[in-house]
Amino acid sequence: MKRNQKAALFLALVFSGKIWAQDTERKMLLKDAEDKFPVSDAIIKYNHGNNHTHSDMAGSFDFIVKSYPDTLIISHQGYEDMKLEVKNEDDKNKVIFLQHKPYHISEVSISHSSFLAAITKVDLNKFPVNSAQDLLRKVPGLFIAQHAGGGKAEQLFLRGFDADHGTDVSVNFDGMPVNIVSHAHGQGYSDLHFVIPETVNNIDFGKGAYYMDRGDFDTAGYVDFQTYNGLKNSVVKIEGGSFNSKRILGMFNILDDDKGRKNAYLAAEYNYTDGPFDVKQNFNRINIFGKYNQWITDNDYFNIQFSTFNSSWNASGQIPERAVDQGIIDRWGSIDPTEGGKTSRTNLQINFKHIISDSEQIDIMGFYSKYNFNLYSNFTFYLKDPEHGDEIQQTDGRNIYGTEIKYTKNFSFPKSSLQWVSGTGFRSDDINTLQLNHVYHRDLIVGKMADATGVETNLHAFSGLIWKAGRWIINPALRIDHFIFNFHNLMNTEQLPSGQSKEKTRLSPKLNFSFSQNDHVLWFLKTGMGFHSNDIRVVVPNKNENTLPYSIGGDFGVRLHPFKSLIITPTLWYMFLQQEFVYVGDDAVVEPSGKSRRFGADLGVRFQPLDYFYVNADINYSHARFIGEQKGEDYIPLAPVMTSTGSVNWDFLPGFSLGLQYRYLGERPAVEDNSIKTKAYFVNDLILSYNHKNWGANIQINNLFNVKWNEAQFATETRLKDEAEPITDLTYTPGNPLGLKVGLYYKF
């Protein structure tokens, strides 16, 4: 099949039915008081509470009153209950605005489709966030590590994966993919530092590969950070603390018309820190974010948003354990003091929603990103070049384009309902710079190791059903992804100008079930296939490599809501992966390894016995092994075994709040035979905050007990300046010591 025929097939796959706009008679209409979005699936009781109905996709509902006057009782998770008196037939044509209420565990419905987002919303409301690290730590089961000066993307751990910087975790921002394919530093590299944390309203996430609208990198799971559509107040915040750290934030309400049909805001922040290291990090970052929303009509919504950031830093690097033990350097020293980098990303995103009828809608998203990355690292020191050292430079420059169109249709039957969701879209990375150089102290290029350009395109489509019948929900779905790789190796002039190309298609079926035993117990079984793409520099020159290694797995669990103040979610899971990608010190692109299997258990607990006292904890165990390797030599390096995060929050006086949070990462194998292990750590942070009507303050103590801990840890073969032979031992980036941060904000 020709390439243009394939593209046409993808675009036509899910839109064979006719989609047209039609007039609908609205009786009453429910809308969110803040963003003016329709509120669907609300419960409306009428006829003095003897009958009830639900609001549809457009937020509308109809009812027949036997006798006037009557009082409607309107309820929906996350909103204040509303009582509305209806005196006559004329009162039925109204727009009703529902007000948000503070999220509590008692308000979370275990059978609601947004259950996971709802419990995360509770977590967000209890603890303030002011960094990308804080945001990622709010995702239950997701563990992170930062290294290389704070400017690189965080290292992600989820479901027994050391996912490096995103190889097996799909990271998104308002639906826009953050992962970067065929990145200079690592496949799926996900730098979230362009996000201003205070603009994030909620976090959508899911573990496993069971979601039809999630594609590349959704093997261990996905996370999608969703921003506010509008601001209630403008805010100015200043923060300062240990290690010459400072932060300035401004969020400004630019437009908010009286009818609430359009609004706009602008946010900006500046970050700086020297860090605790002997070589000052000199970390600088500037972020700008703007968002405009408008309801053009009651049926048509338009949004455009813009973000940009620029960051530069110095890094201490990953230091060998023996260098500290022998007194060559201390924990805060560097073997190569010239490591560091700079990066930037600019994003433009447009969203359009059209409500076709009370049961149909179409959503369209398009985005553009301009990305640049320049990183200097030295993982092996003098292993290969005793004279100049082994410092490398990785550069990446590209333009990214993408869009997705999603169509939703609801069907109602006497004893069941059916929702049909289909979508199609594409993403294209136009890579103009992809280099790996051997350098000396950032200035001198000793040798060029790789230099390439290329275009990587992903066409995708999906379709699925959500059938609700009685206490059952059944969700079958199918996703198809087609990749086109075009690669130009600039170090091999014989390939020019045509270069090389390769194509590959992946089908990913999904099938999920849930059963509500009662209001307190819901059982679920999730199954499905996912995948992660391989690097363009591996796929095209090496025709036999797995282009789109697939995963297949399942979750079996239960949501328990035994009483209003407690939610418990135990889950057992299993995953098979066709091919691992193993860390190799960034000397090459990736090192494809063999097949693997993982299984484990997750336990989430949310407990709120009083409105002012809240406890949450997530405990995760995983067992990860290569398949086909000799027992005892089949460990997957750096795969987490035991992780846990949690917090306690106490609102002890009017306006005052005290929070203690922890994170624990257990010992892990660092090499295949488990002869070298990483070191476990347990770190606590304390936050005291005061919130008044127009102003507030907070004090944060990081690493409360000043424990010595290693954040990023690897087993690496290295050689120091005066060593005759290389040695493989643990290299690490030390975690921050005890530190204090103070903040003050003002609303207007």
Side-chain angles (χ1 to χ4, degrees), residues 99-153:
Q99 300 288 338
H100 284 277
K101 64 180 176 182
Y103 263 96
H104 297 288
I105 286 301
S106 60
E107 304 295 334
V108 176
S109 169
I110 59 174
S111 60
H112 202 278
S113 59
S114 62
F115 167 77
L116 295 176
I119 62 172
T120 308
K121 180 70 172 178
V122 177
D123 293 348
L124 272 173
N125 285 347
K126 289 299 178 182
F127 272 91
V129 294
N130 53 22
S131 70
Q133 290 95 324
D134 289 341
L135 281 175
L136 288 165
R137 287 176 180 139
K138 293 297 181 184
V139 181
L142 182 66
F143 207 92
I144 67 167
Q146 174 56 244
H147 62 115
K152 277 171 62 177

Side-chain angles (χ1 to χ4, degrees), residues 110-111 469-473 513-524 556-561:
I110 59 174
S111 60
R471 296 180 179 275
W472 286 92
I473 299 177
F513 303 87
S514 70
F515 174 72
S516 295
Q517 183 174 326
N518 50 51
D519 291 341
H520 307 290
V521 181
L522 180 141
W523 299 89
F524 61 87
F556 176 67
V558 61
R559 298 172 186 168
L560 303 173
H561 206 338

Side-chain angles (χ1 to χ4, degrees), residues 171-201:
V171 183
N172 308 269
F173 176 72
D174 279 335
M176 179 189 73
V178 177
N179 303 75
I180 296 182
V181 298
S182 302
H183 187 269
H185 186 67
Q187 180 68 339
Y189 186 88
S190 301
D191 189 348
L192 204 64
H193 294 125
F194 65 86
V195 179
I196 298 175
E198 285 84 355
T199 64
V200 173
N201 178 38

Side-chain angles (χ1 to χ4, degrees), residues 397-461:
R398 66 181 68 199
N399 295 290
I400 311 171
Y401 312 85
T403 188
E404 183 170 274
I405 304 170
K406 184 170 73 173
Y407 169 71
T408 305
K409 169 71 174 177
N410 287 333
F411 302 88
S412 295
F413 306 105
K415 294 185 179 181
S416 65
S417 66
L418 185 70
Q419 184 178 79
W420 173 39
V421 181
S422 293
T424 185
F426 80 94
R427 167 182 171 164
S428 184
D429 286 59
D430 184 4
I431 308 168
N432 53 63
T433 301
L434 201 59
Q435 288 187 0
L436 176 63
N437 299 316
H438 177 198
V439 298
Y440 175 71
H441 288 183
R442 296 198 190 188
D443 297 323
L444 175 65
I445 297 180
V446 179
K448 185 170 287 189
M449 303 165 68
D451 191 4
T453 64
V455 177
E456 184 172 333
T457 302
N458 172 208
L459 303 169
H460 73 267

Side-chain angles (χ1 to χ4, degrees), residues 157-388:
F157 304 95
L158 181 65
R159 284 267 164 114
F161 282 92
D162 173 3
D164 196 27
H165 299 287
T167 305
D168 297 283
V169 179
S170 173
V171 183
N172 308 269
F173 176 72
D174 279 335
M176 179 189 73
V178 177
N179 303 75
I180 296 182
V181 298
S182 302
H183 187 269
H185 186 67
Q187 180 68 339
Y189 186 88
S190 301
D191 189 348
L192 204 64
H193 294 125
F194 65 86
V195 179
I196 298 175
E198 285 84 355
T199 64
V200 173
N201 178 38
N202 206 2
I203 304 173
D204 180 25
F205 76 96
K207 298 175 184 178
Y210 316 125
Y211 318 98
M212 58 184 161
D213 57 345
R214 307 293 169 176
D216 200 4
F217 307 114
D218 179 27
T219 46
Y222 79 90
V223 57
D224 194 342
F225 297 92
Q226 301 168 348
T227 58
Y228 286 98
N229 282 324
L231 302 179
K232 292 183 178 179
N233 307 95
S234 296
V235 180
V236 174
K237 179 189 288 188
I238 57 172
E239 295 177 337
S242 304
F243 321 121
N244 194 26
S245 299
K246 52 183 73 79
R247 179 174 182 254
I248 302 173
L249 167 73
M251 297 172 62
F252 306 101
N253 201 343
I254 304 298
L255 174 65
D256 189 3
D257 71 350
D258 295 336
K259 297 180 180 179
R261 301 191 68 91
K262 55 187 174 181
N263 59 71
Y265 69 92
L266 182 68
E269 72 166 339
Y270 170 73
N271 277 276
Y272 179 88
T273 185
D274 288 333
F277 303 96
D278 294 345
V279 175
K280 290 183 178 180
Q281 285 180 262
N282 193 27
F283 173 76
N284 284 270
R285 188 176 74 235
I286 297 175
N287 294 54
I288 300 174
F289 175 72
K291 191 170 187 177
Y292 173 83
N293 308 277
Q294 180 176 358
W295 278 96
I296 304 169
T297 69
D298 284 342
N299 295 345
D300 298 289
Y301 167 80
F302 171 77
N303 152 260
I304 184 169
Q305 57 193 63
F306 164 85
S307 62
T308 186
F309 95 112
N310 190 291
S311 178
S312 64
W313 68 94
N314 298 319
S316 70
Q318 292 146 209
I319 57 176
E321 200 170 40
R322 67 184 186 278
V324 178
D325 293 341
Q326 296 170 14
I328 298 173
I329 58 173
D330 64 17
R331 280 177 59 83
W332 311 109
S334 303
I335 301 297
D336 185 342
T338 65
E339 295 188 58
K342 59 181 179 180
T343 186
S344 64
R345 180 167 179 167
T346 299
N347 307 297
L348 180 66
Q349 184 177 350
I350 297 174
N351 294 279
F352 177 75
K353 179 193 297 287
H354 174 57
I355 300 173
I356 302 169
S357 70
D358 291 347
S359 63
E360 294 176 278
Q361 75 178 40
I362 188 168
D363 296 90
I364 302 173
M365 185 272 289
F367 72 92
Y368 163 75
S369 295
K370 182 175 179 59
Y371 177 77
N372 288 288
F373 175 86
N374 188 21
L375 180 68
Y376 297 93
S377 308
N378 192 343
F379 301 101
T380 53
F381 309 116
Y382 294 94
L383 177 66
K384 299 171 185 176
D385 189 336
E387 180 181 355
H388 299 100

